[in-house]
Amino acid sequence: MTQLEIKNLTHAFVQKNSQLQVLDKLNFSVNTGQFVALLGPSGCGKSTLFNIISGLLRPQAGEICLNGKRIQGNTGAFGYMQQKDLLLQWRTVLKNVMIGPEIQKESLIKTKKEALKLLTQLGLQGFANSYPMQLSGGMRQRVALVRTLLFRKDILLLDEPFGALDAMTRTVMQSILLDIWHKGGQTVLLITHDIEEALLLADKIYVLTARPASIKAEIEIPLQRPRSITDKDLINLKSELFEMMQVEMQQVFNTN
C-alpha cells in the first residue's frame, strides 16, 4: 500500500533578482514498510525535499499525500534526522534522546530503559551523562539517530545519517539500522550520495538528476539481505548506477 506520495513537487529559492530552481515536478511514491533510498549528486535538492516533506518548507507547487490524504506543513508524522545533529548543548546525551518522549508525555522511566538500550546498541554505552561537546562528530550523529528513533514515527526521513562516520563504523551502523527497521517495521526514506550504501540498504532506489531535481530512474533491488558488495548482481547494479551518477555529476560541473 502506498504510504507517501510526492506529486509534481516544484520549488525554487529567490536569490537577489533571480530564482534558483531546486526541484522540478518531482514524482515518486513509497509503500508502507519499504526502505527507499534517494540517490543523487551533491546540491541537487535532496535536503530541500526532506524539509518540504517534513513541513519545514512550503513548496511552490505540487502535493504531498500521506495515506491518500494531502498534507501541508508540519504534521508531526515524520521522524526527521538532518545532516547536522542539532543536539542541545546544555542537555546530556540521555536527555537529548529523551526529547521526543518528553514532548509526547510518555512514561520516562520505561523510555529511559529503552533509550539506554539503544545507546548501547549504537556503541554509546557509558556516555549517557556526557554532553555533546564531549563527543566526536560520529558519536553525535549516533545520538541524533537514537533521538529520531525515540520519536516513534511510522516514517523515518534520514538525511545522510552516516556521512560523518569512518568506513568501518558506517558498515556497523548500516547493519544496526537494517536490524532496527526489520524489527520495528517503519518506512524509511534515506538520502545518500553513496551508491554502495543505497544498494546494501534499500528495497528501491530513486536516482535524482542534477539540480533542479527530478526522477531520472526508479530501480528495484530484488536481492536478499544481508547483501555483499562482492555479489555479482550487486556489482552489475553498482556499475549501472555509477554511469547514471557520472552523467549527473558532469551536468553539475557544466552548470557551474
Side-chain angles (χ1 to χ4, degrees), residues 10-29:
T10 299
H11 194 72
F13 292 108
V14 176
Q15 291 188 332
K16 295 183 179 179
N17 296 322
S18 64
Q19 286 196 334
L20 178 66
Q21 195 71 30
V22 181
L23 304 176
D24 182 26
K25 296 180 180 178
L26 195 66
N27 290 276
F28 68 91
S29 62

Side-chain angles (χ1 to χ4, degrees), residues 4-247:
L4 179 66
E5 190 170 10
I6 307 302
K7 300 179 179 179
N8 295 314
L9 208 61
T10 299
H11 194 72
F13 292 108
V14 176
Q15 291 188 332
K16 295 183 179 179
N17 296 322
S18 64
Q19 286 196 334
L20 178 66
Q21 195 71 30
V22 181
L23 304 176
D24 182 26
K25 296 180 180 178
L26 195 66
N27 290 276
F28 68 91
S29 62
V30 181
N31 292 338
T32 302
Q34 198 170 36
F35 198 127
V36 173
L38 293 171
L39 183 66
S42 295
C44 73
K46 300 186 296 294
S47 294
T48 298
L49 170 63
F50 270 17
N51 286 338
I52 290 173
I53 292 174
S54 65
L56 296 178
L57 282 176
R58 287 184 178 272
Q60 291 180 326
E63 296 181 355
I64 301 167
C65 294
L66 183 63
N67 297 318
K69 296 181 180 180
R70 183 177 180 178
I71 60 172
Q72 194 172 33
N74 188 353
T75 63
F78 305 96
Y80 183 13
M81 180 177 171
Q82 297 173 276
Q83 287 184 24
K84 295 182 180 179
D85 59 73
L86 301 177
L87 300 180
L88 302 178
Q89 300 302 312
W90 60 91
R91 294 179 69 120
T92 64
V93 165
L94 182 60
K95 288 187 177 180
N96 262 287
V97 302
M98 297 275 283
I99 288 175
E102 284 182 25
I103 293 172
Q104 290 155 186
K105 301 189 184 320
E106 296 182 25
S107 168
L108 298 186
I109 295 176
K110 180 180 178 181
T111 306
K112 180 179 177 181
K113 292 180 181 179
E114 184 180 357
L116 290 172
K117 182 179 178 180
L118 280 170
L119 289 171
T120 297
Q121 189 176 359
L122 272 71
L124 292 165
Q125 63 272 22
F127 289 94
N129 295 317
S130 299
Y131 288 87
M133 68 180 65
Q134 298 171 304
L135 306 179
S136 68
M139 293 169 74
R140 291 168 62 112
Q141 281 297 96
R142 283 180 270 164
V143 173
L145 178 57
V146 174
R147 179 184 59 193
T148 303
L149 292 170
L150 286 175
F151 269 93
R152 307 183 201 288
K153 301 302 180 182
D154 291 335
I155 304 178
L156 302 180
L157 306 178
L158 307 180
D159 189 351
E160 300 199 52
F162 309 135
L165 305 180
D166 62 85
M168 288 301 296
T169 305
R170 183 162 58 246
T171 299
V172 173
M173 290 296 296
Q174 289 168 351
S175 178
I176 290 172
L177 176 60
L178 278 178
D179 185 58
I180 290 170
W181 165 73
H182 180 72
K183 292 177 179 177
Q186 299 102 325
T187 301
V188 176
L189 192 53
L190 170 77
I191 283 177
T192 182
H193 61 264
D194 186 320
I195 295 172
E196 283 189 359
E197 181 169 75
L199 286 169
L200 289 170
L201 297 180
D203 298 313
K204 180 191 290 185
I205 298 173
Y206 286 108
V207 182
L208 302 182
T209 65
R211 189 180 68 239
S214 59
I215 299 297
K216 181 182 181 72
E218 176 183 340
I219 298 176
E220 300 279 351
I221 311 299
L223 306 177
Q224 295 293 317
R225 297 183 180 90
R227 299 169 185 164
S228 170
I229 58 173
T230 60
D231 182 275
K232 182 180 178 181
D233 291 332
L234 192 141
I235 291 172
N236 291 336
L237 282 170
K238 180 179 177 181
S239 178
E240 181 183 344
L241 286 166
F242 181 79
E243 289 180 10
M244 290 186 196
M245 289 287 286
Q246 200 170 32
V247 171

